[in-house]
Amino acid sequence: MIRPIYLLGSEVLKRKAEPADLGTGEELKALVNDLWETLAVSEGCGLAAPQIGVSLRVAVVDGDVMADVYPYLKGFKRTFINPVIVEESQEKCEYNEGCLSVPGIYADVVRPARIKVEYYDGNLEKKVEEFDKFAARMIQHEFSHLDGVLFTDLVAPVRKKLLAKKLQRIAAGKVATRYNSKIK
């Protein structure tokens, strides 16, 4: 089911999400399906459960939408349930990020260049995987949502000050999106 994407100003986006109960099989699979369906129509490269109003530690990423810029992402799709970053590189990298919950805003964010993640996949199988480049970026962005952190919380203070009025407009609901969205 396609769900509305919650925008900046929604309380659920600022809350640390709870671990998903792996014993709720069909319910959890339905949430994962809803995330994939909602992501597909919104044309983003990742989506976390809090962005559709569900405060659980579940996220999906789809590199296919970025494959024309980053060919190595062709076919890269992951479902993350109760993910934990168990290792991150000292090396950092900076990318310009955007977010479906903060439409029309883009800003440079510094994050670790490589990460190692322990998680359950969509089949509830435990995995440990390492990611780098833009895959690591997409994943860390979605994991930030699980901790109640938006990418705009991580930008340089000067940049955040420059974005303040635009962010206030979004939080007040004065924004148009090409996908179903809401503030709650």
Side-chain angles (χ1 to χ4, degrees), residues 37-51:
E37 287 181 26
T38 304
L39 181 62
V41 299
S42 66
E43 299 175 9
C45 61
L47 195 61
Q51 290 180 275

Side-chain angles (χ1 to χ4, degrees), residues 1 17 19 23 42 85 88 133-134 145 149 153 159:
M1 169 174 53
S42 66
I85 296 175
E88 59 185 43
K133 302 179 185 174
F134 201 78
H145 281 295
V149 176
D153 297 328
R159 179 71 172 132

Side-chain angles (χ1 to χ4, degrees), residues 2 12 29 52-53 55 64 66 69 82 93 101 110 134 145 154 162:
I2 297 167
V12 69
K29 284 183 181 180
I52 61 169
S55 192
D64 273 342
M66 299 298 292
V69 178
N82 297 337
C93 62
S101 292
V110 176
F134 201 78
H145 281 295
L154 305 174
L162 292 171

